[in-house]
Amino acid sequence: MTSISVSLILFSAFFHAWWNYYSKVSRSPQLFFFWIGIFTVGVTIVAFAFKPLIVPPSVWAYIIASGLVHFAYWFSLSQAYMSGEISYVYPISRSAVGFIPLFAFLFLRETISLQGMVGILCIVFSIYLLQQ
């Protein structure tokens, strides 16, 4: 991996931790996430202005659906931050990634490798331990 790649990953991790921290300590996590969303849309518009991207019409439904899912995620996360500790809420909210392959297996007939199944079980077990 190049040093640029590592730098971008570290930069991303820093800002990810930063916005989660500030969303937790803000007086209104919903308002904070609203401004995060506005910033994200603004950056996307500016990026498209500099390098136009032609999006096929069939893809727009997925883009809109993804936006709605992110809205629901941010809204739910902000609600959880208002009622719980970040060290408890955040790992549970991020564990959803472990359940996506299960839904893909059940509804889309995807296959899951042995390593993937071990990873999913580790995530589920970790959530169980966190609940204890």
Side-chain angles (χ1 to χ4, degrees):
M1 203 181 297
T2 67
S3 60
I4 292 174
S5 299
V6 173
S7 299
L8 288 173
I9 290 168
L10 292 174
F11 185 73
S12 174
F14 170 77
F15 277 103
H16 191 80
W18 177 82
W19 71 257
N20 272 284
Y21 169 75
Y22 278 105
S23 65
K24 173 61 181 160
V25 299
S26 70
R27 285 183 292 201
S28 176
Q30 291 91 0
L31 185 60
F32 185 84
F33 279 110
F34 170 79
W35 287 113
I36 291 280
I38 293 295
F39 177 78
T40 302
V41 170
V43 167
T44 303
I45 290 170
V46 169
F48 281 152
F50 284 106
K51 181 161 173 63
L53 181 67
I54 299 172
V55 179
S58 60
V59 176
W60 280 105
Y62 294 105
I63 292 171
I64 293 168
S66 175
L68 293 173
V69 167
H70 272 82
F71 170 78
Y73 167 71
W74 282 351
F75 180 77
S76 300
L77 188 60
S78 68
Q79 291 295 108
Y81 280 169
M82 287 180 18
S83 62
E85 290 297 319
I86 194 169
S87 61
Y88 185 72
V89 169
Y90 185 75
I92 293 172
S93 69
R94 295 305 293 175
S95 66
V97 174
F99 294 105
I100 291 172
L102 292 177
F103 289 119
F105 173 78
L106 294 173
F107 300 113
L108 302 175
R109 305 205 193 295
E110 293 279 336
T111 59
I112 301 174
S113 67
L114 178 61
Q115 292 93 345
M117 187 58 70
V118 169
I120 292 167
L121 292 174
C122 287
I123 290 169
V124 171
F125 184 68
S126 298
I127 293 170
Y128 173 75
L129 288 178
L130 190 61
Q131 294 286 342
Q132 301 304 314

